[in-house]
Amino acid sequence: MQLRYACAHTGAEYVLEQAWLQASLPRCPLHPQGGCGFARHGTYSRVSPPGTLVARWYCPTGRRTFSLLPDCLAARLTGTLAEVEAVVRAAEQAPSLEAACAALRLDIELPGALRWVGRRVRAVHASLHLLRGLLPERCGGCAATLAAFGERLGVAEVLVALRGIAEPWLRDLPKPLGFRPRRESGGGRRGARQHWVGADPPGAPA
Ligand SMILES: [Zn+2]
């Protein structure tokens, strides 16, 4: 299970400072009273940025692992949220997804590039769409785009900012912003809670 590690590092800073060493999870999320054998459980590595490690804990009673994902990293998608944001913003500004792919100069054939960009755009816009309903006072009536959210929230990096602003709902929001389990396709808080699963996948390229 992924949990938020609130930190202001960029991906590069996170690696340079080995910020996973400072990540702290003092109590088991399942057994805050203790006595379950909860303990630090090493790290797992992610492909990008190179050298990235993510701190992990394990509860033997609940047979669950917990990892603290820093705000700079995309959830269940390779790389950083800033990288995802750059792609989605480029797509928002391009006249078409094809044009966005050409501008991004992805090192893959067009059909693959369309899938790659389209997946990111759909995932991010789905989160923004949900957040308009969850945060009606801050985001209500806002177009479900990063450009519109950036203007409304007054931030340059919307996705990183939303890790903090939307923290209570991260379990219910899809990747790469939120931590909704991958088998959870229907959405909704209740479903997400029922489907908490054990091990976190390492930063699988997707
Ligand atoms: Zn526990």
Side-chain angles (χ1 to χ4, degrees), residues 147-191:
F149 266 65
E151 209 164 295
R152 175 69 67 90
L153 298 171
V155 296
E157 293 209 8
V158 173
L159 292 177
V160 170
L162 284 175
R163 277 277 169 81
I165 294 167
E167 182 165 21
W169 301 286
L170 288 176
R171 286 170 191 156
D172 302 327
L173 294 170
K175 71 173 189 181
L177 172 64
F179 305 147
R180 195 163 79 193
R182 67 169 63 202
R183 288 188 196 87
E184 184 62 31
S185 54
R189 176 172 291 261
R190 206 167 146 221

Side-chain angles (χ1 to χ4, degrees), residues 84-94 120-133 138-159 162 177:
V84 175
E85 175 143 353
V87 170
V88 176
R89 280 183 179 265
E92 287 177 0
Q93 284 160 16
R120 281 156 177 76
V121 171
R122 281 193 303 277
V124 167
H125 286 179
S127 276
L128 299 181
H129 184 76
L130 289 168
L131 283 168
R132 286 192 306 191
R138 290 189 83 164
C139 311
C142 194
T145 64
L146 288 176
F149 266 65
E151 209 164 295
R152 175 69 67 90
L153 298 171
V155 296
E157 293 209 8
V158 173
L159 292 177
L162 284 175
L177 172 64

Side-chain angles (χ1 to χ4, degrees), residues 6 10 20 23 74 82 97 106 118 146 166 169:
T10 64
W20 54 88
L97 218 48
L106 299 170
L146 288 176
W169 301 286

Side-chain angles (χ1 to χ4, degrees), residues 3-203:
L3 301 170
R4 178 183 177 224
Y5 174 20
C7 77
H9 297 306
T10 64
E13 290 164 351
Y14 177 79
V15 173
L16 190 69
E17 299 184 21
Q18 303 190 328
W20 54 88
L21 296 174
Q22 274 82 54
S24 160
L25 192 56
R27 275 183 293 280
C28 176
L30 301 176
H31 311 97
Q33 74 280 11
C36 62
F38 182 71
R40 192 141 185 158
H41 190 61
T43 55
Y44 69 80
S45 63
R46 289 180 43 132
V47 174
S48 174
T52 298
L53 296 179
V54 174
R56 191 160 54 175
W57 283 258
Y58 182 64
C59 167
T61 304
R63 300 168 96 179
R64 297 261 174 88
T65 58
F66 303 88
S67 57
L68 283 190
L69 194 71
D71 286 347
C72 54
L73 294 185
R76 297 192 173 88
L77 195 67
T78 191
T80 63
L81 279 180
E83 288 165 345
V84 175
E85 175 143 353
V87 170
V88 176
R89 280 183 179 265
E92 287 177 0
Q93 284 160 16
S96 68
L97 218 48
E98 285 82 357
C101 291
L104 287 164
R105 296 165 154 248
L106 299 170
D107 195 21
I108 42 179
E109 300 283 326
L110 183 61
L114 285 171
R115 282 195 298 275
W116 192 89
V117 174
R119 217 160 31 225
R120 281 156 177 76
V121 171
R122 281 193 303 277
V124 167
H125 286 179
S127 276
L128 299 181
H129 184 76
L130 289 168
L131 283 168
R132 286 192 306 191
L134 293 166
L135 295 163
E137 282 162 25
R138 290 189 83 164
C139 311
C142 194
T145 64
L146 288 176
F149 266 65
E151 209 164 295
R152 175 69 67 90
L153 298 171
V155 296
E157 293 209 8
V158 173
L159 292 177
V160 170
L162 284 175
R163 277 277 169 81
I165 294 167
E167 182 165 21
W169 301 286
L170 288 176
R171 286 170 191 156
D172 302 327
L173 294 170
K175 71 173 189 181
L177 172 64
F179 305 147
R180 195 163 79 193
R182 67 169 63 202
R183 288 188 196 87
E184 184 62 31
S185 54
R189 176 172 291 261
R190 206 167 146 221
R193 292 271 153 81
Q194 285 169 344
H195 284 85
W196 280 359
V197 287
D200 271 302

